[in-house]
Amino acid sequence: MVAERVAIIGASGRSGAALARALPGCIPVVRDAQRWAATGLALAPRIADIQQHDALRRALADATHIISTAHARHAGAVIAASPPGARLVFLGSTRRFSRWPDAHGDGVRAGEAAFLASGRAGVMLHPTMIYGAEGENNVQRLAAVMKRLPVLPLPNGGASLVQPIHQSDVSACVLAALHGSAQGAITIAGPEAMTYAAFCAAIAQACGLRPRPVLPLPAWALMAASPLTRLPGLPRIGPDEIRRLTEDKAFDITMMRETLGISPMPLAEGLRQTFRPFSP
């Protein structure tokens, strides 16, 4: 029986590093050795740019299982460089369901199509907004905004739905897909959808702030004002992000629960874990 050897492409990124910590004997495949060193993990990396076929093929040559946390648009390149019998797990994104066309969503859709057409064993997971990873800038950035503003300007009053997922649940889904028999594309998200305004209020409570009153504004007005977020002390928020806040991001996670066997943690618990190191 061949010993399992798991390669993680993009192991120096947020999700990649979280997975490398969960898989202490893995093979980290990274583009930048210095960025990998910054993770503090002792594993020896293999250096390969995902767009350089020969280098990537050499880095993956002895892998029995491969996790790719790189953008899903690179799925075709990963498939081409992977040993034929290796099981593959890709991290996609629920941006593939967005009604707003952009390069990110188009790339995820193209990567999913390449994977499904390949017939390779494995899964492409489509997570919604991920929070709770070391260095993530979703929840932490919102907390930073609320620390600086007395009110929270949101398109349409923050009525659109979100369903964020904690990084630990993303990692659990990847590991379940890696070692199970699931096949195809699976959406992964938190246990329930909520309005963006309620999400912001939960973040404020978790980090010890008074929830900020919501100032409803048209999306076009916020997009026009987005250059102001380039000012020192304010996290930068682009027009595309504002536009995406106007669409619901609520998903059925039956396959996550039944096929992968993962029941995601409630938002309150995920936020408690996220802000626990920063509590007074």
Side-chain angles (χ1 to χ4, degrees):
M1 183 175 178
V2 177
E4 180 179 289
R5 293 184 62 77
V6 181
I8 302 176
I9 299 171
S12 59
R14 294 179 185 120
S15 291
L19 286 161
R21 292 185 179 97
L23 291 164
C26 70
I27 304 165
V29 179
V30 300
R31 182 175 58 183
D32 186 330
Q34 289 186 331
R35 189 177 176 193
W36 169 252
T39 67
L41 293 166
L43 295 165
R46 296 181 183 178
I47 308 303
D49 189 309
I50 202 166
Q51 299 184 69
Q52 295 177 349
H53 172 77
D54 289 344
L56 185 61
R57 180 177 54 78
R58 287 192 295 270
L60 301 176
D62 58 347
T64 60
H65 296 69
I66 296 168
I67 301 168
S68 177
T69 66
H71 193 289
R73 67 175 174 268
H74 298 298
V78 173
I79 292 165
S82 300
R87 181 169 176 82
L88 310 176
V89 178
F90 295 93
L91 272 187
S93 169
T94 51
R95 286 276 285 278
R96 63 100 52 235
F97 302 111
S98 176
R99 72 177 185 270
W100 301 112
D102 69 355
H104 186 119
D106 290 345
V108 175
R109 285 185 284 272
E112 181 190 275
F115 168 58
L116 296 179
S118 73
R120 292 292 298 267
V123 175
M124 180 170 286
L125 299 172
H126 292 306
T128 185
M129 179 198 299
I130 301 172
Y131 72 100
E134 185 175 339
E136 63 91 0
N137 62 357
N138 292 317
V139 163
Q140 302 290 357
R141 183 170 54 165
L142 275 170
V145 167
M146 288 187 282
K147 286 177 182 176
R148 289 169 172 80
L149 298 180
V151 297
L152 195 58
L154 293 176
N156 305 325
S160 297
L161 298 176
V162 292
Q163 198 171 341
I165 182 170
H166 194 271
Q167 175 63 60
S168 63
D169 288 326
V170 174
S171 296
C173 287
V174 170
L175 296 179
L178 191 71
H179 297 118
S181 58
Q183 188 70 26
I186 300 176
T187 297
I188 60 174
E192 59 185 3
M194 67 196 71
T195 67
Y196 196 77
F199 176 51
C200 292
I203 293 170
Q205 183 177 14
C207 66
L209 296 174
R210 175 180 55 82
R212 300 305 191 240
V214 172
L215 176 63
L217 289 174
W220 64 263
L222 285 168
M223 287 190 281
S226 65
L228 295 177
T229 63
R230 296 173 186 158
L231 296 174
L234 283 178
R236 185 169 180 177
I237 302 172
D240 288 347
E241 291 178 271
I242 294 168
R243 184 173 64 174
R244 288 196 299 275
L245 288 178
T246 64
E247 66 179 351
D248 287 337
K249 294 176 278 293
F251 302 97
D252 180 355
I253 58 169
T254 301
M255 287 187 69
M256 174 182 174
R257 287 191 165 112
E258 296 183 358
T259 304
L260 298 178
I262 304 299
S263 292
M265 73 174 67
L267 178 68
E269 173 59 21
L271 291 176
R272 187 187 70 80
Q273 293 187 22
T274 300
F275 288 105
R276 181 171 49 197
F278 309 103
S279 299

